Amino acid sequence: MIQTYIFDLDGTLLNTLGDLAASVNYALKACNMPQHSIDDVRRFVGNGVRLLMERAVPDGAANPRFEEAFATFRQHYMQHSLDTTRPYDGIPEMLQTLRSRGCRTAVVSNKFYAATQELCQHFFPDTIEVAIGEHEAEGIRKKPAPDTVNEALRQLGVSREQAVYVGDSDVDIATAAASGIPCISVLWGFRDREFLVAHGATRFISHPSELLT
């Protein structure tokens, strides 16, 4: 029986795509670089914001203005991460029900640490117990390494035997496998079923309420 739910954030609990795309394009425009469509940015996300910008900037990290673009993105996103971001339909109710049943909950994201903390505090202050983002200063590797999942389990004070990982991407599937826990892939996020199946997904849900059955 599952007692601990570890969630990805972007594309799983929150639809953050509009704000991410706006900040990407703000940074690109500021550096006189070509901008991208929402669908482009959808394909770029999932492996942390640095890789997002490496995919968005022409020639990636080899571009001489990459660090400037990346810093501009981070600054803009921290100021605008709540402009259009919202929980997916049914997410708040699902989290409330899990907590009312005594289940433990955490977020593990490749989003930078400050943004992960801010978004979880804003949207889920009473239902997400632990929120962990990319935090290399503490030597914790980002997903798909198991480090952040292990840290979430440690902070919750629970074992992995009754835990599950819930996410929307290939990175989440790999993270769950590396962490030795099952993965549930959501179909409302940034990747479709065909993509997820191709990357090893075996269990799917199409609405948050399905986690409760």
Side-chain angles (χ1 to χ4, degrees):
M1 183 177 179
I2 299 170
Q3 292 293 324
T4 301
Y5 293 79
I6 301 176
F7 295 94
D8 174 51
L9 189 60
D10 297 50
T12 301
L13 297 183
L14 296 177
N15 186 350
T16 57
L17 189 58
D19 289 334
L20 286 169
S23 292
V24 166
N25 284 328
Y26 177 88
L28 294 174
K29 184 177 181 180
C31 294
N32 298 311
M33 298 173 182
Q35 299 178 55
H36 291 284
S37 69
I38 287 279
D39 282 341
D40 287 339
V41 177
R42 183 192 304 274
R43 291 191 293 271
F44 297 160
V45 299
N47 297 81
V49 291
R50 187 175 183 88
L51 190 53
L52 164 63
M53 288 304 292
E54 287 180 9
R55 291 165 172 167
V57 169
D59 298 322
N63 190 303
R65 299 190 71 182
F66 173 78
E67 293 299 338
E68 177 187 355
F70 182 48
T72 302
F73 164 83
R74 285 179 65 108
Q75 181 179 23
H76 187 271
Y77 187 69
M78 284 304 299
Q79 295 171 350
H80 295 276
S81 63
L82 297 173
D83 286 2
T84 64
T85 290
R86 298 291 183 273
Y88 289 99
D89 289 345
I91 290 293
E93 295 83 0
M94 175 269 291
L95 291 173
Q96 289 165 4
T97 300
L98 288 179
R99 294 295 293 130
S100 72
R101 293 177 177 178
C103 295
R104 311 301 302 276
T105 58
V107 158
V108 164
S109 175
N110 273 347
K111 185 186 290 293
F112 48 95
Y113 190 85
T116 301
Q117 290 282 312
E118 180 183 34
L119 289 168
C120 287
Q121 281 295 317
H122 181 81
F123 289 107
F124 313 117
D126 301 318
T127 51
I128 293 296
E129 299 177 84
V130 170
I132 297 175
E134 186 176 356
H135 203 351
E136 294 178 354
E138 294 185 359
I140 298 175
R141 297 171 297 170
K142 68 179 184 178
K143 301 185 300 184
D147 301 31
T148 47
V149 170
N150 292 339
E151 177 63 13
L153 293 171
R154 186 192 69 78
Q155 290 190 28
L156 289 171
V158 299
S159 68
R160 71 189 67 246
E161 280 69 31
Q162 294 180 310
V164 68
Y165 193 94
V166 183
D168 75 308
S169 75
D170 53 322
V171 175
D172 298 320
I173 297 165
T175 300
S179 303
I181 61 177
C183 184
I184 298 175
S185 297
V186 308
L187 296 177
W188 58 78
F190 297 162
R191 302 289 186 266
D192 60 25
R193 179 189 284 267
E194 183 179 8
F195 177 92
L196 294 169
V197 168
H199 288 84
T202 57
R203 183 177 175 186
F204 304 91
I205 56 173
S206 56
H207 190 273
S209 61
E210 294 174 44
L211 274 183
L212 305 174
T213 59

